[in-house]
Amino acid sequence: MLFEPRWFRWVRWVGLAFFTTIVLLPLYVMATSAAKPLRDVQGEFHWWPTELTLRPFADIWRTIPLGRYFLNSVLVSTAAALCSVLVAVFAAYAISRFRFPGRALFSVTVLSTQMFPGILFLLPLFLIYVNIDQLTGITLYGSRLGLVITYLTFSLPFSIWMLVGYFNSIPRELDEAALVDGAGPVGALLRVVVPVATPGIVAVAIYAFVTAWSEVLFASIMTSEQSRTLPVGLQLYSTQAGVYWNQVMAASLVVSVPVAAGFLMLQRFLVQGLTAGAVK
């Protein structure tokens, strides 16, 4: 066992306390601001509310249609996560297990898309959606389906790349044993590889969900009033009369609780998935 000097222990605890304070302090200010009347939030700052109230938590549902925006975010993020997992599993398995012409080029192309900023895809996607609507009558611009497809353009490449590394860490002998028992390539994938790769698949799903949940740029351009998501909807608390800061804080807390709870429950899968393939 390595000896840990006492000074190092003190430095470690002081560092942990410092960074924990940095992380928790904004959350504390958010929570206390949500429990203040608007005049207190706009006035002189106090670390503790001079008047506690839960009215902002009731007003957030009346000031804007927060329930609709919350539902849109849940549907779009869940659909984007499921589609990313479904496509990435088959694509990553093909790259990991099979040798075919263009395999290396395809892998590099998938990964290289992450080098480009998302705003470069905004205008091409907008033009594609508008032309599809004119030619086929299928409305993608301003719809939840169009937003799901948009999110796949930048969540899917990373999902494929991460699952390739995870599948590479799974012994090929498992696939071969399943093939000997009569299972085809798809059967070997679904019955043998997928159960073993559950942590990596969950990590991909969490990444795709969180990416879609917190995205603002595309959601602000590619949505309508009916398909608007939470990151864009929260901006509507800013009106010509002023900004309802206490409601902004209250709404941010309310919509963050389900995501934070789900993240904590699946955290162990995320850690296992991200570290898979690091050591062979």
Side-chain angles (χ1 to χ4, degrees):
M1 181 180 295
L2 296 177
F3 175 72
E4 183 181 74
R6 180 174 298 180
W7 66 267
F8 180 78
R9 188 180 308 169
W10 279 102
V11 170
R12 183 182 64 181
W13 282 107
V14 171
L16 288 175
F18 174 74
F19 288 110
T20 301
T21 302
I22 292 178
V23 172
L24 295 181
L25 187 59
L27 298 178
Y28 171 78
V29 174
M30 180 187 298
T32 55
S33 299
K36 294 179 180 179
L38 182 59
R39 63 178 182 276
D40 289 356
V41 179
Q42 294 176 335
E44 183 180 355
F45 176 77
H46 296 281
W47 287 104
W48 184 255
T50 57
E51 178 184 349
L52 287 174
T53 177
L54 296 179
R55 185 181 179 88
F57 290 93
D59 292 340
I60 58 176
W61 308 98
R62 294 190 291 265
T63 304
I64 65 173
L66 185 64
R68 183 202 305 160
Y69 301 153
F70 183 83
L71 178 61
N72 288 337
S73 287
V74 170
L75 293 177
V76 170
S77 301
T78 303
L82 293 177
C83 292
S84 291
V85 168
L86 181 63
V87 177
V89 164
F90 286 96
Y93 185 74
I95 296 174
S96 175
R97 292 297 193 261
F98 300 104
R99 299 294 180 266
F100 52 88
R103 173 179 174 272
L105 178 61
F106 177 76
S107 302
V108 172
T109 303
V110 167
L111 188 58
S112 64
T113 58
Q114 300 297 296
M115 297 188 303
F116 301 99
I119 195 171
L120 291 181
F121 300 97
L122 184 58
L123 182 58
L125 284 172
F126 172 79
L127 295 177
I128 291 172
Y129 287 177
V130 171
N131 287 320
I132 289 177
D133 188 11
Q134 293 176 351
L135 294 175
T136 65
I138 300 175
T139 303
L140 295 178
Y141 176 74
S143 67
R144 289 192 290 243
L145 175 59
L147 197 59
V148 170
I149 297 174
T150 300
Y151 290 157
L152 289 178
T153 60
F154 50 85
S155 66
L156 192 55
F158 181 81
S159 300
I160 294 174
W161 174 76
M162 190 162 68
L163 281 182
V164 167
Y166 200 98
F167 288 159
N168 287 338
S169 67
I170 299 176
R172 293 177 180 267
E173 288 76 8
L174 295 177
D175 307 52
E176 296 171 356
L179 294 175
V180 170
D181 290 340
V186 177
L189 169 63
L190 298 180
R191 297 177 183 178
V192 178
V193 178
V194 168
V196 177
T198 297
I201 295 174
V202 172
V204 167
I206 293 175
Y207 165 78
F209 184 90
V210 173
T211 300
W213 183 269
S214 58
E215 200 279 326
V216 178
L217 175 63
F218 288 93
S220 61
I221 305 297
M222 309 292 284
T223 58
S224 62
E225 172 62 27
Q226 297 301 318
S227 61
R228 188 172 290 159
T229 56
L230 278 173
V232 182
L234 291 178
Q235 301 177 19
L236 299 182
Y237 287 112
S238 175
T239 64
Q240 294 182 351
V243 181
Y244 298 98
W245 288 113
N246 54 347
Q247 295 187 37
V248 172
M249 301 301 177
S252 300
L253 286 176
V254 168
V255 302
S256 299
V257 168
V259 179
F263 180 82
L264 291 176
M265 290 188 294
L266 300 174
Q267 183 180 12
R268 64 187 183 92
F269 293 105
L270 180 63
V271 174
Q272 294 175 16
L274 292 177
T275 56
V279 179
K280 287 190 176 182

